[in-house]
Amino acid sequence: MELLENVKPHVYKFGDKKADGNREMKNLLGGKGANLAEMSSIGIPVPPGFTITTEVCTAYNTLGKEAVLDLIKNEVEASIANIENLMGTEFGNKENPLLISVRSGARVSMPGMMDTVLNLGINDEVVLGLAKKTNNEQFAWDSYRRFIQMYGGVVLGMKSQSKEDIDPFEEIIEHLKEKRGIKLDTEFTVQDLKDLVYDFKDIVKKTTGHIFPTNPWDQLWGAIIAVFDSWNGDRAIYYRSMNGYPADWGTAVNVQAMVYGNMGDNSGTGVCFTRDAGTGENIFNGEYLINAQGEDVVAGVRTPQQITKIGSQRWAELAQIDEAERKELYPSLEELMPSIFKELNKYQDILEKHYRDMQDMEFTIQDGKLWILQTRNGKRTGAAMVKIAMDLLKEGLINEKEALLQIEPNKLDELLHPVFNPQALKRAHVIAQGLPASPGAATGKIVFFADEADKYKSSILVRIETSPEDLEGMNIAKGILTARGGMTSHAAVVARGMGKCCVSGAGALKIDYKKRTLTVNGHEYHEGDWISLNGSTGNIIEGKVATMEPELSGEFAEVMKLADKYGKIKVRTNADTPKDAKVARNFGAQGIGLARTEHMFFEVDRIKAMREMILAETVKGRKHALEELLPMQRADFEGLFESMGGSAVTIRLLDPPLHEFVPHQLATQKELAEDMHITLQAVKNKVAELEEFNPMLGHRGCRLGNTYPEITEMQTRAIIEAALNLKERGIICKPEIMVPLVGTVKEFEAQEQIIRSTASTIFEERNDTIEYLVGTMIEIPRATLIADLIAEKADFFSFGTNDLTQMTFGYSRDDAGKFLPIYIEKGILKVDPFEVLDQEGVGQLIKIGTERGRSTKPNLKVGICGEHGGEPSSIEFCYNTGLDYVSCSPYRVPIARLVSAQAAIKTTL
Ligand code: ADP
Ligand code: MG
Ligand code: MG
């Protein structure tokens, strides 16, 4: 802590075209703070302010409130004085007051996950001064009531307690609106606003037992601490765990002079995007509201208006509003305030060029003057991400390497999900239309509450509007539908970030939470009814609509082509069936890195033969059963080889404990006994005999092949004969036979010997040969240590990192669910090592295994076939460790191809 105290400032100022910080300092200043500083220094009009660093937040978590306030007090006071100087106002002054906002901002943007307080510094006296100075009582009292509401919620914890509850302040507002017969906040009279302030303070007193804090400095310290606390709020924690962000990052706090969008008809506030965040189209777009503040635009209470005229016209068409009505009631900013629009358009252009990426900006117009309040690289869908990167490349704003690095590998996943079948869409019954807020195809059963999204396997969350509390449910649901809110509503922004299909602002929907019904044009739908959403058109469709596999085309194909130009480490797939193999090949897999043979045994006709094999008491009995299995396996392998068109296929010999194959239900046991002409008891005995205390450490892997060599023999025969059969048909394939779970040299040698002699026998029988490899999976820690000895005989290694992780940590994969989540929550582990390769520990073994293996056989082929083969940071590690290929599930192949390129590019930077 001492270091922190002596060396670094805790507070960084910005404003007046200057700044202490810059865009590179996201980790310290948070994304919002770093970009406010950057904008200020390049001359964008940003209200002056300062940023308290994320390090202070981390310090707060250990030192507590008093100590941390001591730490920053002087710097904060000096920085407030700086704002006062620049604004010509004074914090707490009754005639000429400075009001400020206190805003959260982590190093990555977490929209709506943490808290912000606006209009801070106001009290019973300041409000009068503000009214007098601006000659606008309406505005002053509106700001005051907003402040109490936000401060009450954020700092004093006065939020709705349960999902049926509404926010206690909103309840008072609703009450008053009803009494006055009005609909909008903007319709309140000065007296109404004064009444609200009175009632708000009253309910604060009643709920908290304290009077509402009147001293601006007390308000400020309270708000700063509350922002720090919001880093550990439920929403923020969930968001972090969803995205794998560590708890120790902390949030910065931005304190900034208020600019007022609620000063009347010459004021307003809005958000805008330099390109379309849904489709990636290069069109400036956004939404605004006149006489509004802060979150009004995204809160979905009033219908926001479009920034550009063209956007406004598109919107009106979807909302079925005619041109005359649009111009009259919902004009664009371009039409209403042409010079402000021109200025905004200029800034969006400057900022996009400056950041060389699509920007998402917030602005406020105070009495005819434009202020920019935030810019960040905009969240976007996977499709938009790909299009924007390729467009920026074509526009010459970025180069090929930068374009590839700009694409977030995991987000490509969205482009690999099913889309609606166009034929089925033609027959679909469209019941209503909303805004196409986030593209995609979603089908599911209606649920009305976020915490019930897991009620059905596929659900569509239907809400009047969503709030940050709904995050978890939004993530679970297949799609999101809201009755209110525009393209920048909470639902829309979050859904695009998640790549989740969303239709927002469908005004024709009447939603009754109590009755759990959705009514459209007189037709009532209930919880559990099927509906479908087309996030690209905004169509809401009754019932289910058939989907189909997406295609790798257009810009996506361009990205993949570019990736292959730079990628070095090869990408294979884990596939057990020709169907999976074909999918993977379409996605660009360069071979199969892992074909598990056991899955082939579970099909109805095979499982019987398999069980007979297991139950056989003699070698002869076993061989007989294996003979039945041989033709089936051979046909399977032919299918696999054929589907890969001759590229490499690695086949793993039988791996799982035999117990997994025997029947555990009485009826099936009886059936088996009859088929085999043995007693039920004999079957039961065998099943009991196969039971193991630690099946994962038991009779499995090459231990099976070494105790029942007939199995290895049969599998080898099936593989080699399949390859020979294909050769006859003109398809040359080179099987790679992989021995699982090797821990000692002899274990491998014994298997290798069986394989090679079986192959030789077949070559003689057929009077023909093919090339093949014999290698091993490296998944037992011991094997990595003696890799030099294993490599004397093995043609290749493939790291089976699922088992290797299990055995290196000593965590049973099947039982880890009991403690891993807690470990991650407590920070004992940063991430789940079964998802993200543990480079520190398991990674060392991979390095050692590779090095030692290659010390014997310099060009030993080495790959990885655990789940990690499709995880970006793990792929990068594999590349840097010198592996030849990664193997992952078919749908991860494009992701792995991209990461392969990114990893190679990063080493050249
Ligand atoms: P979030 O990170 O959730 O977007 P922000 O800190 O950006 O939260 O603020 C919430 C809203 O308040 C935004 O619409 C923002 O533009 C507005 N706002 C923040 N600070 C000010 C300010 N100083 N003057 C006017 N509006 C502000
Ligand atoms: Mg913001
Ligand atoms: Mg294994």
Side-chain angles (χ1 to χ4, degrees), residues 652 655 700 741 777 779 803:
R652 178 178 70 184
D655 181 54
R700 58 173 289 226
L741 220 71
M777 219 157 151
E779 48 191 340
D803 267 311

Side-chain angles (χ1 to χ4, degrees), residues 556-697:
F556 191 11
E558 287 172 31
V559 168
M560 286 295 109
K561 207 170 140 208
L562 199 57
D564 291 345
K565 177 170 163 190
Y566 290 92
K568 296 229 167 69
I569 190 165
K570 290 205 169 61
V571 178
R572 293 193 187 185
T573 189
N574 300 346
D576 307 337
T577 64
K579 182 171 164 272
D580 287 354
K582 272 192 202 116
V583 172
R585 214 170 149 219
N586 284 338
F587 286 152
Q590 295 166 283
I592 293 182
L594 174 65
R596 307 173 191 85
T597 50
E598 55 270 18
H599 291 184
M600 298 170 175
F601 293 127
F602 278 108
E603 278 167 48
V604 208
D605 49 335
R606 301 154 186 222
I607 188 73
K608 250 176 67 184
M610 185 68 185
R611 286 171 175 164
E612 285 180 27
M613 191 275 290
I614 295 169
L615 263 67
E617 292 294 343
T618 60
V619 176
K620 193 163 154 251
R622 208 157 31 240
K623 279 197 168 161
H624 177 76
L626 284 166
E627 261 160 39
E628 271 179 64
L629 286 169
L630 175 66
M632 303 181 202
Q633 280 246 293
R634 191 171 51 218
D636 287 338
F637 293 140
E638 276 181 46
L640 264 189
F641 293 151
E642 192 170 2
S643 65
M644 289 311 284
S647 50
V649 175
T650 308
I651 296 165
R652 178 178 70 184
L653 300 180
L654 191 67
D655 181 54
L658 298 182
H659 194 246
E660 287 183 14
F661 297 97
V662 293
H664 298 279
Q665 275 160 352
L666 189 61
T668 344
Q669 289 180 346
K670 270 188 188 152
E671 215 175 284
L672 186 65
E674 271 165 34
D675 282 349
M676 287 189 67
H677 309 294
I678 53 176
T679 63
L680 175 62
Q681 196 52 45
V683 173
K684 282 187 168 170
N685 288 349
K686 190 74 189 181
V687 171
E689 192 183 301
L690 288 171
E691 192 112 34
E692 291 177 308
F693 286 109
N694 286 315
M696 281 296 123
L697 301 176

Side-chain angles (χ1 to χ4, degrees), residues 32 103 362 374 376:
K32 200 180 287 168
R103 321 171 63 186
E362 290 173 2
Q374 189 172 330
R376 61 183 173 211

